[in-house]
Amino acid sequence: MSPDIDEARHPFLKGLSKHRGAPPTVVVIFGASGDLTARKLVPAIFNLGVDNLLPGEFHLIGFGRKPIADEDFRVMMDEAIAEHSRRPLNKEIWERVRQNMSYHSGGYDESAAFDSLAEKINQIEKDLGRDMQRMFYISTPPSVFEPIIENLGSSGMAQAHVHTKLASKVVIEKPFGRDLESARELNKVINGVFEEPQVYRIDHYLGKETVQDLLVQRFSNSIFEPLWNREYIDCVQITVAESLGVGSRGGYYDTSGALRDMIQNHTMQLVALTAMEPPVSLDPESIRDEKVKVIKAIQPLKLDVDGGDVVRARYTNGLVKGEPVKGYAEEQGIPEDSSTETYAAMRLAINNWRWQGVPFYIRSGKRMARRASEIAIQFKRPPGILFSEGDKFNVAANTMVISIQPDEGVTIVMNSKIPGLETRVRNL
Ligand SMILES: NC(=O)C1=CN([C@@H]2O[C@H](COP(=O)(O)OP(=O)(O)OC[C@H]3O[C@@H](n4cnc5c(N)ncnc54)[C@H](OP(=O)(O)O)[C@@H]3O)[C@@H](O)[C@H]2O)C=CC1
Ligand SMILES: O=C1O[C@H](COP(=O)(O)O)[C@@H](O)[C@H](O)[C@H]1O
């Protein structure tokens, strides 16, 4: 590995092993011509390669309805890395993945296409002379999640090497159903084909370093935990703001809106991690149990138009960096009668011992003034006996801001004396 790439590692990682011994793997991405594949999945695979975390034997197969030649797919993915990867494209590293990349076209409900995909993977195993783990990443709009899962079952791919370390895995994107009933129905289809340990219901916010750091910050630093409750906290504000519009994804987005696309999943994960009790251990079930407990304590929302807990809105046309951009209603693929929101904000009341009376304000939107995801913990003000005289004492509420992206870090707003003979106060 060239020194400049090693330099790109986080300083905390210096001296730690880079290899976790992943088994030989074939990843199949359904919906591989789409936005998520280009923006996140393939750049992430490239970066795993840079960090030497890919298995020695690694194959990537894109799957989709449009016919795409293997070489065209490789070029599309080169461009995706050049545009979206956090590290520049390193041709030497990428070539090792690239040479084992191909595209398989077929309908998501077409069983023959899945049979031929199974044959292709069997042939890769035969050529290698050993079994491989198969990982199926469903990166399509939710309307085709179910036929893909059913076809993975009927083609036998879901059961490959089951009950061994190489058992097939399936990764399912969100939204996971439209409501409780459809989510249960989707679960039923999944459980009819895969065993639970094979299933990954993904929320990519949980993979962000700063989100993973939340539990560490809360439960490994004794200075915060005693203050993390209704005695000291005035309110919590969670913002997930994007500057992008819906772009080419109007067809999918209009069936979701901000509530299903961002609030019920990513934003609620941030609420859960901020508000949950300490888990009894770090195993996934213990963390899940605490998240479930705190989410159950959230009170039903008041939906009245005036004085309710929820606001929905959508962006109109305007300027971004001086360039005109379309309003949501004019974006490609948005039906004329659409009433889908691109912004949602709500006030949550968590009725448990720790949080009663502390509002959680959460909001998410597209085409906002700037891209920023953050959790702001606003503490109660001290009694205003000493420093409460207008301008002279510009006292702010202490606030801890955990910035998730784009600038990662923690900022604490505190009050301090302005140097000089007179006692003047300002926040910094
Ligand atoms: N984009 C993002 O930033 C994120 C997206 N997600 C989730 O990932 C999934 C994929 O998102 P994204 O890549 O943006 O979606 P896209 O709209 O880009 O669709 C992905 C691919 O699915 C196929 N497709 C599109 N529409 C349909 C349809 N109506 N029926 C069948 N196939 C269709 C197309 O491939 P082809 O025509 O070749 O078959 C398309 O290239 C969604 O579930 C989304 O919620 C999650 C996190 C972030
Ligand atoms: O899940 C989604 O997330 C992206 C935002 O992800 P980020 O990591 O860039 O914050 C959003 O654009 C997309 O609409 C949504 O489906």
Side-chain angles (χ1 to χ4, degrees):
M1 183 175 293
S2 63
D4 55 320
I5 283 168
D6 210 24
E7 299 268 288
R9 297 190 91 206
H10 190 285
F12 286 7
L13 293 172
K14 287 213 172 106
L16 294 182
S17 156
K18 291 180 196 158
H19 212 287
R20 297 202 308 194
T25 301
V26 181
V27 170
V28 179
I29 301 181
F30 295 98
S33 64
D35 187 74
L36 179 68
T37 306
R39 235 151 33 93
K40 299 206 191 283
L41 303 185
V42 166
I45 289 171
F46 163 68
N47 279 286
L48 286 175
V50 173
D51 287 332
N52 201 16
L53 288 170
L54 286 179
E57 288 300 334
F58 180 78
H59 286 249
L60 174 62
I61 304 176
F63 186 110
R65 298 168 303 178
K66 287 188 283 286
I68 299 179
D70 290 346
E71 187 51 24
D72 291 348
F73 179 58
R74 293 186 197 112
V75 171
M76 279 163 64
M77 296 305 112
D78 297 345
E79 289 167 0
I81 293 169
E83 191 176 349
H84 299 292
S85 165
R86 65 182 195 278
R87 291 165 172 149
L89 180 61
N90 175 306
K91 289 209 168 134
E92 194 193 324
I93 290 173
W94 182 234
E95 189 51 38
R96 278 182 247 148
V97 179
R98 205 179 183 279
Q99 65 190 1
N100 289 336
M101 263 167 67
S102 58
Y103 200 81
H104 194 82
S105 47
Y108 302 111
D109 56 357
E110 197 189 311
S111 62
F114 284 71
D115 292 340
S116 54
L117 176 66
E119 276 165 31
K120 188 174 200 165
I121 298 175
N122 291 340
Q123 189 59 47
I124 294 173
E125 279 189 338
K126 226 187 225 164
D127 293 345
L128 182 65
R130 59 179 291 191
D131 292 345
M132 297 180 84
Q133 166 178 245
R134 297 150 195 227
M135 187 173 287
F136 301 105
Y137 199 116
I138 306 184
S139 175
T140 61
S143 53
V144 288
F145 288 177
E146 291 184 10
I148 293 173
I149 292 160
E150 278 159 355
N151 274 319
L152 287 172
S154 58
S155 61
M157 287 190 281
Q159 291 80 29
H161 315 309
V162 75
H163 302 140
T164 73
K165 206 174 127 199
L166 298 177
S168 293
K169 317 280 184 303
V170 65
V171 184
I172 298 146
E173 265 299 343
K174 49 109 263 243
F176 195 91
R178 278 191 69 73
D179 50 23
L180 183 60
E181 197 187 330
S182 54
R184 283 187 171 146
E185 181 53 39
L186 177 56
N187 243 349
K188 218 195 263 170
V189 173
I190 295 168
N191 296 147
V193 172
F194 288 94
E195 295 185 18
E196 191 53 35
Q198 298 177 274
V199 181
Y200 293 78
R201 298 170 188 81
I202 197 155
D203 183 315
H204 78 276
Y205 267 58
L206 296 176
K208 292 186 190 280
E209 270 301 332
T210 33
V211 175
Q212 296 193 0
D213 197 23
L214 257 170
L215 281 189
V216 181
Q217 301 234 357
R218 279 195 59 195
F219 301 125
S220 75
N221 293 305
S222 52
I223 54 174
F224 300 126
E225 184 51 24
L227 307 180
W228 214 259
N229 56 53
R230 69 192 146 90
E231 294 296 331
Y232 297 97
I233 293 180
D234 183 64
C235 68
V236 176
Q237 306 205 19
I238 299 182
T239 306
V240 183
E242 297 184 81
S243 52
L244 292 176
V246 292
S248 60
R249 301 172 63 221
Y252 149 72
Y253 190 86
D254 200 66
T255 63
S256 287
L259 284 165
R260 289 190 177 85
D261 189 55
M262 296 296 285
I263 296 275
Q264 56 86 23
N265 44 343
H266 308 321
T267 319
M268 288 305 292
Q269 286 289 354
L270 300 182
V271 170
L273 288 166
T274 307
M276 68 192 241
E277 294 301 313
V280 290
S281 84
L282 288 177
D283 64 70
E285 286 75 21
S286 304
I287 294 176
R288 183 225 29 223
D289 289 349
E290 293 306 332
K291 286 181 175 173
V292 170
K293 260 166 63 186
V294 77
I295 286 170
K296 279 186 173 167
I298 297 174
Q299 296 306 288
L301 298 166
K302 286 195 229 77
L303 299 178
D304 329 3
V305 176
D306 291 320
D309 294 321
V310 183
V311 174
R312 294 163 68 235
R314 58 159 62 169
Y315 62 84
T316 54
N317 60 338
L319 295 175
V320 170
K321 294 185 182 147
E323 293 295 320
V325 291
K326 291 178 184 165
Y328 178 72
E330 292 88 51
E331 297 274 22
Q332 178 196 329
I334 308 302
E336 263 176 35
D337 60 351
S338 163
S339 61
T340 301
E341 75 289 342
T342 62
Y343 174 89
M346 51 180 74
R347 177 176 49 208
L348 305 181
I350 302 179
N351 202 4
N352 67 11
W353 195 268
R354 189 186 283 264
W355 295 115
Q356 197 185 50
V358 181
F360 277 60
Y361 299 103
I362 65 177
R363 54 182 88 92
S364 178
K366 290 201 181 284
R367 278 269 184 258
M368 306 296 285
R370 66 186 175 100
R371 176 172 182 247
S373 298
E374 62 182 38
I375 301 169
I377 314 290
Q378 189 170 314
F379 291 89
K380 288 188 172 160
R381 287 170 183 271
I385 309 167
L386 295 177
F387 304 109
S388 59
E389 266 178 54
D391 280 0
K392 197 171 149 200
F393 300 128
N394 186 8
V395 176
N398 289 139
T399 307
M400 176 179 177
V401 182
I402 301 165
S403 300
I404 292 162
Q405 60 187 25
D407 304 314
E408 305 176 354
V410 177
T411 311
I412 297 187
V413 177
M414 298 184 68
N415 299 299
S416 195
K417 181 178 172 297
I418 300 173
L421 292 179
E422 209 185 342
T423 302
R424 293 169 76 88
V425 177
R426 58 159 291 187
N427 54 76
L428 40 97

